[in-house]
Amino acid sequence: MSAASNFEELDLYVWEGKADILERIARCMASFDVEVIRADGMPPPPQDRGTALRPSVAILSVTVIDNGGLAHATELLQGMPVIWVAAAARERDSRTYPPEYLHVLPYDFTCAELRTMVAKLVRQLRARDVAPQPPDELVAHSDAMKSLLAEVGAFANCNHSVLVRGETGVGKERIAQQLHLGHEHYGKGAFVAVNCGAIPDGLFESLFFGHTKGSFTGAVHAHRGYFEQATGGTLFLDEIGDLPKYQQVKLLRVLEDGAVTRLGATAPIRVDFRLVAATNRNLREMVASGEFRADLFYRLAVIELHVPSLEERGEIDKIAIFKALLANVLGDELETLGETPHWLSDAVAEIYFPGNVRQLRNLAERVGVIARQMRCWDQNLIQRAIALTRGTPTPAMVAGNGNGAGGMALDGERRGWNSTERNRIIAALEVNDWKRQDTAQHLGISRKVLWEKMRKYQILDGEPGIPEET
């Protein structure tokens, strides 16, 4: 795409300070639908730059810094991207420039250089203005999921931080996206997702706070950190419980001050975002043990949401999610294959998915590949794939304690994977001496869910063991 195609109804606000760049810019843009506006000393433009119909770009000579005009320019920028034009007389130390010193033209810039840089920023503006596509609709047939989505709808359009709790793989990020899209202001900005458990040692400050050009070896460009990137939108911090304590302190300071300072810079930058954090760990226990700061916890958990596991959601959601995932895998081929067979739905309903929706997606992909290649619902091959899913051990199943307990758990669970859910629960109860709390933890479900399943299958305490399969 040519640069000219980006210059439809464009405003360029120019602060030339001591330089003589306004007329050169006007000449370079004379053949396009571009209005070049002298901004030095002008009052703020009447329209809201965030909703202006015409895209706007600011061009500032670095001489406005020496001329005392930077404060005035800052008042008028209102979110416009900025191009800096370097001074003609001397080299300048980039560390004295504002942190937003990202796009630079030489003083003797050519028309081609100017047009190329302006076109790049206009493309970014137009991409930013495109409304984000909402994620696929969440399946919510179960009472547990309907209750959660009702809470999400109630709290989405508030400015307070949200802590999303739930087991691994339940879809905590999907809930965070729903919270983001439901906010009338922050939902129009970026959704910046960060896995706190994957931050390399020594890079927290650079990744979160950003850095200026030359602030350390290898910093060849200025970088906007996650806090800046999320300004005007939502910052989603996944696995917040994995954040080391020294990083917890720095996060808390940003939440309290609403400002960050890039590495290598001295001027703070205001940030404004909605924070959503997620964890599969018990932060209250971590606070009690000193692993997690209490003051940060209370800042994060103004609102708490619990995402139910597949076991808590029950068979109705398991089957519905599986069918939706299978439809995504097969696409138009699903119509040729016909309705998902009842034996497949029944098998999915009986499986315990310790990996939750992620593991269910894996099974849907396996089944979809088999159905596509065989051009039918090949029961033998699909049941083999289901057996492999049932036999996937969880960490609790294989964790030994030196006296063979881990082997007992694995053996007991394997017996359950190849039988009904009732027998699987009995096997787990036997392994854990019929202690419900230990059994629930072993199975990856809550004690309440375990009790409800025991009542459903009429399992009595101390019931005789399952006979060996023949």
Side-chain angles (χ1 to χ4, degrees), residues 126-300:
R126 288 176 175 153
R128 187 182 69 184
D129 290 340
V130 175
Q133 293 297 315
D136 295 336
E137 186 175 351
L138 289 168
V139 172
H141 299 299
S142 65
D143 291 341
M145 201 62 185
K146 287 179 180 177
S147 176
L148 170 64
L149 293 188
E151 290 185 84
V152 171
F155 296 120
N157 196 32
C158 69
N159 298 339
H160 298 292
S161 300
V162 181
L163 178 63
V164 182
R165 298 180 290 103
E167 298 174 11
T168 298
V170 294
K172 296 186 288 293
E173 184 168 348
R174 293 288 304 278
I175 296 301
Q177 290 172 335
Q178 296 290 333
L179 290 166
H180 168 69
L181 293 173
H183 198 284
E184 62 182 4
H185 169 64
Y186 295 119
K188 297 175 183 178
F191 179 83
V192 179
V194 182
N195 186 340
C196 296
I199 302 298
D201 290 340
L203 292 183
F204 174 83
E205 286 79 5
S206 175
L207 292 175
F208 277 82
F209 289 83
H211 59 256
T212 60
K213 179 180 178 181
S215 57
F216 55 85
T217 302
V220 295
H221 301 290
H223 169 70
R224 295 168 64 240
Y226 295 138
F227 294 128
E228 281 188 73
Q229 293 174 32
T231 291
T234 300
L235 178 62
F236 173 59
L237 298 182
D238 198 9
E239 306 299 347
I240 189 70
D242 294 340
L243 204 64
K245 289 195 73 174
Y246 82 94
Q247 296 176 3
Q248 295 173 26
V249 175
K250 296 184 178 183
L251 171 59
L252 181 63
R253 176 58 60 88
V254 172
L255 296 179
E256 292 178 343
D257 295 348
V260 298
T261 302
R262 290 183 185 175
L263 293 180
T266 56
I269 302 169
R270 302 298 301 177
V271 292
D272 176 28
F273 51 81
R274 204 268 186 94
L275 179 64
V276 179
T279 183
N280 62 357
R281 305 176 68 179
N282 190 324
L283 292 190
R284 284 184 168 80
E285 290 183 356
M286 294 180 67
V287 169
S289 65
E291 299 177 76
F292 201 87
R293 291 183 62 96
D295 45 7
L296 177 58
F297 171 76
Y298 292 120
R299 287 300 299 264
L300 296 175

Side-chain angles (χ1 to χ4, degrees), residues 11-23 25 36-45 49 56-65 67-86 107 109:
D11 291 338
L12 290 181
Y13 288 85
V14 180
W15 283 262
E16 61 178 356
K18 299 177 182 177
D20 181 18
I21 59 174
L22 183 77
E23 291 185 5
I25 293 172
V36 180
I37 304 165
R38 183 187 298 274
D40 297 77
M42 71 175 292
R49 306 275 8 131
S56 303
V57 174
I59 302 179
L60 279 72
S61 166
V62 296
T63 59
V64 302
I65 300 174
N67 205 33
L70 183 58
H72 171 263
T74 302
E75 292 179 3
L76 301 180
L77 291 177
Q78 299 187 32
M80 284 186 277
V82 175
I83 296 174
W84 290 88
V85 178
Y107 176 75
F109 61 84

Side-chain angles (χ1 to χ4, degrees), residues 86 116 127 169 181 192 259 291 321 330 338 361 390 404:
T116 298
L181 293 173
V192 179
E291 299 177 76
I321 295 171
L330 291 171
R361 179 181 291 108
R390 281 176 168 153

